[in-house]
Amino acid sequence: MPNQPKTPVSRFRIDAELWKAFGDAVPDDTDRSDVLRRFVAHYCRRPGAKLPDRPPAGPWSEAPKA
């Protein structure tokens, strides 16, 4: 099958506002998927896995106003 990716697409539910804030917090030189893959590898204690760096606080750090 042409263009078959190495990894399957995985889906999960997350609040839309939190997903946007996460995207805003992720540095420009990476993407959300990379951060999530690194976190999952760390969480599963894979050898050599390191927890992704957290960005400094920013506008994404505040909880939405109710």
Side-chain angles (χ1 to χ4, degrees), residues 22 26-27 30-40 52-53:
F22 180 51
V26 170
T30 190
D31 62 32
R32 288 182 275 206
S33 295
D34 183 54
V35 173
L36 291 171
R37 281 190 294 270
R38 287 188 282 153
F39 174 78
V40 170
D53 293 330

Side-chain angles (χ1 to χ4, degrees), residues 2-63:
N3 297 328
Q4 186 173 15
K6 180 173 111 172
T7 57
V9 173
S10 299
R11 296 183 180 155
F12 66 98
R13 294 181 186 267
I14 188 169
D15 177 82
E17 187 281 326
L18 183 56
W19 185 246
K20 182 188 178 319
F22 180 51
D24 293 344
V26 170
D28 290 337
D29 62 342
T30 190
D31 62 32
R32 288 182 275 206
S33 295
D34 183 54
V35 173
L36 291 171
R37 281 190 294 270
R38 287 188 282 153
F39 174 78
V40 170
H42 168 79
Y43 193 86
C44 293
R45 300 177 184 270
R46 295 291 168 99
K50 294 184 176 143
L51 193 59
D53 293 330
R54 286 173 71 187
W60 50 80
S61 304
E62 297 183 23

